[in-house]
Amino acid sequence: MSAFKKAPVMGGPPRVDLLGRLRETQILDTKPVLPAEILSLILEYLTVQDLIHFARASRRMREMVYDDTRWVRRLQLMGCWNEAAARIAADDSRRRQLESHNAKQEQQAKKVATIKIATINATGASESSRKSSIPFLNLRTNPKSQAPAQEPVPNGQVNAQDDGFDFVTLSPTSPEPIKDFQPLDTAAALDVISQARSVRGAARQEYGRIHSALNPYYRDALRSKHPSNARIFRIYRDPVQQAKMLSQLMKFANCDLSQGWQIREEKLLRMVSAFEDAVSREFEQGLKLEDVDGRMKKYAHVLVTLNGGRRAIDMWISSNPIIRGRVSLGDPMDCLSPNNPDHLFLEESYAFFSHLASAFNNQITIIDRVFPPSVNVVIPFLKNVGQDIIAPYVNRLFDILQGRGMPYVQAVSGIYAQSLRLATTLCASQFSSDGFHKAIDQLVADIFAPHVATYFSEELAFFKRRSEIEVSGWERQLSQQDASLESMYMTNINRQADKRDFLTSFKKVVMMPVNVLPSFPMSSRFGGKSSAAKPIDNNDFMDTYHATSLQNPSRPNTPNPPNGPALLISRSGTPVPEPPSTELAAKAAILKSKLEGIRTLFSLEVALNLVHMAKGSIDRAAMFAKAKGMFDADARNECEVIFIMLLKTLGDRHVKAGFDQAVSQLAKYNPRSASDQTQPGVTPLVMFLELVNVGDLIQQMLDVFYEQELVATKLTDRQDFMNPTVKEKKRFEQMLDERVAAGLNKGIEVLMAEVEFVCATTQNVEDFNPGATGMVINKVVDITPSNTAIWVVEVVSAHTKMLVGSTDKNMLDVFNQEIGLRLFTTLCKHLKRQRISVAGSIRLISDMNHYFLFVQSLKNRDLLQYFKALRELAQIYLIDPSDAKELAAIIADTDRFQGIFRPEEVYEFAERRADWYQVKSRVEKAMYGIGCCVM
């Protein structure tokens, strides 16, 4: 490498060092001092003039000022921006742009196709291989080289390709000149805010139009020393126009966020308040003069235009004759009787609501004449009527009646029902919305809300107290009766038909509504037939059958059954009671006369009274569930609790005690110590079976009551197995089934003891062994059943028939089968205690056939096989002693008795032949091949 160095040049101008100058140059930082977020926040508090000056500072500042969201926010503060309409307009604009873009592409494609065809025709077939002459169709070349020449894109725009993006304006190349907004004429300025359009991208222009129309009036109003000197009152002479402009200025002032906006807003409010005071004085003069279609209507429209008319509405409501008490509606004390505080006249409260509805509807016509359709006056007026008129009336009456039992619950439920009917009679305004009826329901709920919880607790306590009095009174009355009096029982009566007839009348009564409200005149809005005012007594909740049954507490004469045996017991005559006044009362009286035998156990009459009291309480509580609202769940729960209490009172206090007493009497029964053995019947068992009938009738009553009162009215859900009413109802049915099962088990034992006693005491020795006593044998053979067999069948059939229609088929089949098996065992024991001759076997066969026919009437095939075998067993006594081999063959034939009797058991029955010792050796020889020998 050469070590040559260039020698320095001496003299001449100095050489400029360019790199040195660059080193000395400092890099200037062009980053703004304040972040964009802070700058944007500052812009929010500038006036429009300052914003214009700010936009002229730079392009970046102009973009920040012209940002559409800034002007949208100002329009939103004035309440003239509709975001939904803006979104719809933006979608329509985007759709039109897309359609225009697609149309341009189609036109361009048509042009390219035309050029292609013309080129092919001009060059001929020899140049067809030159595909590059048509760049658009050459797929192997560079797409950029094939793309047609594009138009120059203006600065600040993005060219839209087929990628789905729209044209987006970023910023213009040079700032556009600010156009001066021409002020609108006075008529157009009145609706400048209401006619503002919600278009994205044009919010600044819309605000500029509003600003140019309202800002001169706004600045003039702020400069005016006195409100009357303002320009707005000099240009617009009509009060409605003045109110409209003032209303627009109030909205326009909302977007004034610059320094000192509180002072400007306060000054504008003073001007509006002065104008409102002047208009209100004119409206008040119209109220005093009752100039409905003149001053009242004119200045009400002015106040509504100004700020919604709140002041006019308050003035009209406060001076209304209903609110001020100039309309006579009624006094809550008129509902009370001065002589008896427990008497309640609900007709007086009906008159109160009727007068109120008439006066309210008259005021509605005035509202339609005075106020414009845009303002809602009816609902505020309705709320004031409820708070100032209805609530004091209701509260005063309820406070007086609270704690009095029946009058209080009748008053709360009755007046609540009247309030609901009042809601249907009030007329809405011609321009009222659908919220009128909802407002009425809410008003009624607000009035009764302080009393509902107290009413529910009082209703429950009232039902509990009355049911306790009913059951305790029956028990006390029962303890005072002579326990030595004999009873009479139903025999050979169609119990199922009687119960069906009674339940038919009971369903009619259950489906009838309780008289919660009095009868109203037919001409009234509430409907109903006219009737004289009748006080509602504290004890007037019972039906007429209750009053009829209590008129004669002693037992009436029980009519003798027309057919079949009966326990004929003489009874002293009793006074004839007054005839029942209702169908259910008549059916209850008839059924009561047939159920005198179980009066000492429990009473169907008490059950009817309890059910009726529960119906009254549930119907009153259900009134609060009809109107869907805040009381719905509580009312349903109240109805369920009342029904549960009915089940507990009727089950634990009444029915359960009666069954336990009946089972106890069954356990103590001894047929040998019975006083009357002349009739086929076990008195305790008859009593228990009648108890089963009545228990089943009560259960069916409760089922009907549950279906009609709770399920049909949708107060409870029977499909919900966790529902308390469903669980308590199943518990009641389970308790009844357990008591019936225990009683039937004990009853069967008592019945069989009775059968054994009848067989032991009534079976004659000569029935199956004629001549056993040494008497001359009658040559005529009696082929009829013996008296014992007839008696036994009558005793058993009388008790089995009593369960028909009172229990379900499964329990009845089990009961009949158990009775049949035990009867079979009893007859076998009885047969082993008899001596039967060949002549007496005819009578025995007749008895067995009689038992077979009775069992056949029970319609139990399994049970019938036992009595078939018993009938076949009777054949061994008919065989002549000379046919010992035939007798032995019958004894050893196991198929003959279908496996019910083993040969050893048949042999034991054969030992009861009167000639057994004569044929024993031959029978044993035929059976076992051996004979007897004496050792």
Side-chain angles (χ1 to χ4, degrees):
M1 182 176 180
S2 175
F4 174 79
K5 293 182 179 180
K6 187 176 180 180
V9 180
M10 302 299 293
R15 185 176 180 179
V16 179
D17 189 3
L18 295 178
L19 295 178
R21 295 286 182 90
L22 290 177
R23 294 189 188 97
E24 295 177 356
T25 303
Q26 295 181 355
I27 300 176
L28 299 179
D29 188 5
T30 59
K31 186 177 181 181
V33 178
L34 295 177
E37 292 81 2
I38 298 179
L39 289 175
S40 177
L41 184 61
I42 293 174
L43 293 180
E44 295 292 335
Y45 298 97
L46 297 180
T47 63
V48 176
Q49 291 78 6
D50 294 337
L51 287 175
I52 295 175
H53 297 156
F54 190 86
R56 292 174 178 176
S58 66
R59 177 182 176 185
R60 183 167 174 268
M61 301 305 177
R62 183 170 181 266
E63 290 178 354
M64 296 179 65
V65 172
Y66 281 17
D67 186 14
D68 195 63
T69 58
R70 188 177 314 283
W71 305 101
V72 167
R73 183 171 180 271
R74 288 178 176 264
L75 293 176
Q76 289 177 344
L77 292 175
M78 288 189 291
C80 58
W81 178 266
N82 189 345
E83 183 64 27
R87 186 180 297 110
I88 294 175
D91 293 340
D92 292 341
S93 176
R94 191 178 298 109
R95 179 178 52 81
R96 289 193 298 268
Q97 290 180 3
L98 182 61
E99 291 176 355
S100 175
H101 182 68
N102 294 335
K104 289 181 179 180
Q105 285 186 344
E106 291 179 0
Q107 292 178 1
Q108 185 178 3
K110 290 181 180 179
K111 290 180 180 179
V112 171
T114 303
I115 294 173
K116 174 184 176 183
I117 295 173
T119 304
I120 293 176
N121 294 333
T123 57
S126 60
E127 298 180 358
S128 60
S129 60
R130 299 174 58 187
K131 297 181 180 179
S132 60
S133 63
I134 307 178
F136 185 80
L137 299 178
N138 192 352
L139 301 179
R140 293 178 295 179
T141 58
N142 189 2
K144 295 183 179 179
S145 62
Q146 296 180 7
Q150 298 180 352
E151 297 179 359
V153 180
N155 190 12
Q157 291 187 354
V158 178
N159 188 21
Q161 302 296 336
D162 292 336
D163 54 0
F165 290 96
D166 300 330
F167 292 101
V168 180
T169 301
L170 298 178
S171 61
T173 305
S174 60
E176 297 178 358
I178 303 298
K179 297 180 180 180
D180 295 333
F181 292 96
Q182 298 297 327
L184 302 177
D185 57 356
T186 57
L190 291 173
D191 301 317
V192 65
I193 291 183
S194 61
Q195 294 179 357
R197 298 178 298 114
S198 301
V199 180
R200 292 177 180 174
R204 181 174 59 86
Q205 288 78 3
E206 287 297 321
Y207 178 82
R209 189 170 63 88
I210 296 173
H211 184 272
S212 64
L214 298 181
N215 189 62
Y217 298 102
Y218 180 68
R219 295 299 174 184
D220 179 75
L222 297 178
R223 289 193 299 266
S224 299
K225 296 182 179 180
H226 193 272
S228 61
N229 298 330
R231 181 182 178 186
I232 187 174
F233 298 111
R234 297 195 305 270
I235 296 178
Y236 299 98
R237 309 304 297 178
D238 186 13
V240 177
Q241 294 179 348
Q242 295 173 357
K244 186 175 293 186
M245 285 300 297
L246 289 175
S247 177
Q248 289 191 126
L249 291 181
M250 291 294 297
K251 296 178 180 178
F252 182 74
N254 292 332
C255 66
D256 184 8
L257 303 178
S258 60
Q259 186 177 5
W261 66 268
Q262 296 92 340
I263 300 174
R264 293 189 293 272
E265 183 180 15
E266 184 179 355
K267 192 170 184 179
L268 183 62
L269 286 176
R270 286 199 298 268
M271 175 182 290
V272 174
S273 178
F275 177 78
E276 186 178 13
D277 292 340
V279 176
S280 299
R281 286 192 294 270
E282 295 295 332
F283 182 78
E284 187 176 4
Q285 290 295 326
L287 281 175
K288 293 180 180 179
L289 299 175
E290 297 183 358
D291 188 6
V292 175
D293 297 322
R295 288 189 178 183
M296 290 178 61
K297 181 177 181 180
K298 177 181 179 180
Y299 293 105
H301 282 66
V302 173
L303 292 174
V304 170
T305 305
L306 179 63
N307 53 13
R310 183 70 259 177
R311 192 165 180 177
I313 296 173
D314 294 340
M315 291 175 62
W316 184 85
I317 292 177
S318 61
S319 62
N320 190 271
I322 298 179
I323 303 298
R324 303 195 62 170
R326 294 199 296 265
V327 179
S328 178
L329 299 177
D331 190 356
M333 298 302 296
D334 295 337
C335 298
L336 304 178
S337 175
N339 300 325
N340 189 352
D342 290 338
H343 287 181
L344 180 66
F345 295 95
L346 284 180
E347 287 80 1
E348 298 297 333
S349 60
Y350 157 72
F352 167 79
F353 285 108
S354 179
H355 296 159
L356 179 61
S358 178
F360 184 89
N361 293 335
N362 292 334
Q363 297 300 316
I364 293 299
T365 59
I366 298 177
I367 291 176
D368 292 336
R369 293 165 58 187
V370 172
F371 294 95
S374 60
V375 63
N376 191 353
V377 187
V378 179
I379 292 180
F381 176 56
L382 177 66
K383 292 181 179 179
N384 280 268
V385 169
Q387 295 173 1
D388 300 339
I389 304 300
I390 302 177
Y393 181 91
V394 170
N395 294 338
R396 183 181 177 189
L397 181 60
F398 291 170
D399 292 342
I400 295 174
L401 294 176
Q402 187 174 353
R404 295 189 183 182
M406 187 63 183
Y408 177 74
V409 297
Q410 282 278 5
V412 175
S413 58
I415 293 179
Y416 181 77
Q418 290 177 353
S419 301
L420 295 180
R421 292 190 178 185
L422 172 69
T424 61
T425 59
L426 295 181
C427 298
S429 175
Q430 296 179 1
F431 312 104
S432 296
S433 61
D434 297 336
F436 174 72
H437 296 288
K438 294 181 180 179
I440 296 179
D441 295 338
Q442 185 62 37
L443 174 66
V444 173
D446 293 340
I447 292 174
F448 282 85
H451 306 281
V452 170
T454 305
Y455 161 74
F456 284 153
S457 60
E458 188 70 21
E459 183 73 66
L460 193 61
F462 169 74
F463 174 74
K464 184 178 181 180
R465 184 170 59 253
R466 292 304 303 175
S467 59
E468 184 70 21
I469 291 174
E470 182 72 22
V471 177
S472 301
W474 177 81
E475 293 175 351
R476 184 172 56 256
Q477 181 183 359
L478 184 64
S479 63
Q480 295 173 356
Q481 292 179 355
D482 187 5
S484 62
L485 293 178
E486 297 181 0
S487 300
M488 206 169 192
Y489 307 100
M490 296 173 64
T491 53
N492 292 335
I493 296 176
N494 192 344
R495 295 166 183 80
Q496 191 171 5
D498 288 341
K499 291 198 297 184
R500 190 184 304 113
D501 192 18
F502 175 80
L503 284 174
T504 302
S505 301
F506 177 76
K507 290 179 181 178
K508 295 179 182 178
V509 174
V510 168
M511 296 181 68
M512 291 173 60
V514 175
N515 291 330
V516 177
L517 295 176
S519 299
F520 298 130
M522 182 62 72
S523 60
S524 68
R525 298 177 183 268
F526 284 23
K529 298 181 179 179
S530 63
S531 62
K534 177 183 178 183
I536 299 179
D537 195 357
N538 191 11
N539 297 321
D540 195 24
F541 59 92
M542 294 299 179
D543 203 358
T544 53
Y545 68 84
H546 185 204
T548 303
S549 62
L550 293 180
Q551 290 173 358
N552 183 21
S554 61
R555 305 183 209 175
N557 290 329
T558 304
N560 291 331
N563 300 321
L567 297 175
L568 302 178
I569 300 174
S570 62
R571 193 180 294 268
S572 60
T574 56
V576 179
E578 295 182 7
S581 57
T582 62
E583 179 185 2
L584 181 60
K587 298 298 174 62
I590 294 173
L591 201 59
K592 175 186 174 183
S593 65
K594 296 178 180 180
L595 296 176
E596 279 294 306
I598 61 170
R599 182 169 182 151
T600 58
L601 299 177
F602 57 71
S603 172
L604 180 63
E605 183 180 343
V606 173
L608 283 171
N609 294 339
L610 292 176
V611 170
H612 184 76
M613 285 188 288
K615 173 179 169 58
S617 296
I618 289 178
D619 285 349
R620 287 190 293 269
M623 284 290 176
F624 294 89
K626 291 182 179 179
K628 304 298 182 182
M630 64 177 67
F631 308 137
D632 187 19
D634 294 337
R636 294 174 186 274
N637 182 63
E638 178 76 6
C639 295
E640 292 179 351
V641 171
I642 292 174
F643 181 73
I644 292 173
M645 186 172 294
L646 170 65
L647 293 177
K648 290 183 178 180
T649 303
L650 192 57
D652 298 340
R653 287 292 310 278
H654 198 58
V655 176
K656 182 179 178 181
F659 273 104
D660 291 343
Q661 185 178 356
V663 174
S664 177
Q665 293 178 3
L666 277 174
K668 298 177 182 178
Y669 177 75
N670 187 1
R672 290 171 178 77
S673 61
S675 58
D676 187 7
Q677 296 293 341
T678 60
Q679 296 295 332
V682 180
T683 302
L685 183 56
V686 173
M687 182 183 297
F688 179 79
L689 295 179
E690 292 294 355
L691 208 64
V692 173
N693 277 279
V694 179
D696 179 71
L697 182 59
I698 291 176
Q699 182 178 348
Q700 293 184 41
M701 286 169 49
L702 293 176
D703 290 338
V704 172
F705 181 78
Y706 178 74
E707 292 292 333
Q708 298 292 340
E709 289 294 312
L710 296 177
V711 177
T713 55
K714 298 181 180 180
L715 294 176
T716 188
D717 184 12
R718 62 180 171 185
Q719 304 298 332
D720 184 9
F721 64 93
M722 296 298 294
N723 190 280
T725 55
V726 176
K727 295 167 65 176
E728 186 63 27
K729 187 170 178 291
K730 289 182 179 180
R731 194 185 72 85
F732 177 83
E733 295 172 354
Q734 183 180 2
M735 180 274 298
L736 196 60
D737 293 340
E738 291 176 355
R739 293 301 182 277
V740 170
L744 290 180
N745 184 39
K746 184 63 66 175
I748 292 173
E749 295 178 0
V750 173
L751 182 60
M752 291 302 104
E754 181 72 15
V755 170
E756 291 181 359
F757 179 76
V758 169
C759 292
T761 56
T762 62
Q763 190 74 63
N764 195 352
V765 177
E766 293 190 353
D767 288 342
F768 303 142
N769 190 9
T773 58
M775 298 178 61
V776 180
I777 302 177
N778 191 0
K779 295 182 180 181
V780 179
V781 179
D782 189 2
I783 61 174
T784 60
S786 62
N787 294 331
T788 301
I790 296 174
W791 190 268
V792 168
V793 170
E794 287 183 357
V795 169
V796 178
S797 63
H799 294 84
T800 54
K801 289 180 181 179
M802 294 179 71
L803 284 179
V804 176
S806 61
T807 58
D808 57 352
K809 187 177 182 302
N810 294 330
M811 181 174 289
L812 184 62
D813 292 341
V814 171
F815 178 75
N816 291 337
Q817 184 173 3
E818 188 65 21
I819 284 184
L821 292 176
R822 296 197 185 187
L823 177 62
F824 173 79
T825 304
T826 302
L827 293 178
C828 291
K829 292 181 181 179
H830 177 65
L831 193 60
K832 291 180 180 180
R833 291 195 291 264
Q834 305 299 317
R835 281 294 176 181
I836 306 166
S837 63
V838 176
S841 62
I842 303 296
R843 196 72 177 272
L844 177 63
I845 293 174
S846 298
D847 287 358
M848 296 304 152
N849 287 329
H850 190 62
Y851 293 134
F852 178 81
L853 292 176
F854 162 70
V855 174
Q856 191 176 20
S857 65
L858 300 180
K859 298 179 181 180
N860 192 320
R861 295 182 179 180
D862 297 336
L863 186 61
L864 199 62
Q865 301 299 325
Y866 288 88
F867 286 86
K868 283 184 179 180
L870 195 61
R871 190 174 58 178
E872 292 293 332
L873 182 64
Q875 304 294 329
I876 64 175
Y877 303 104
L878 189 61
I879 300 174
D880 191 81
S882 59
D883 295 334
K885 292 184 179 180
E886 182 68 20
L887 179 60
I890 293 176
I891 294 174
D893 188 3
T894 56
D895 297 335
R896 187 181 186 91
F897 305 102
Q898 300 179 359
I900 295 177
F901 293 113
R902 293 174 298 164
E904 294 81 2
E905 295 176 341
V906 178
Y907 184 84
E908 292 179 0
F909 284 106
E911 289 179 344
R912 305 313 301 168
R913 288 176 59 99
D915 55 357
W916 174 248
Y917 292 104
Q918 300 176 7
V919 299
K920 178 180 179 181
S921 59
R922 286 177 291 173
V923 169
E924 290 181 350
K925 183 177 180 180
M927 291 180 62
Y928 308 116
I930 58 174
C932 297
C933 59
V934 179
M935 299 298 295

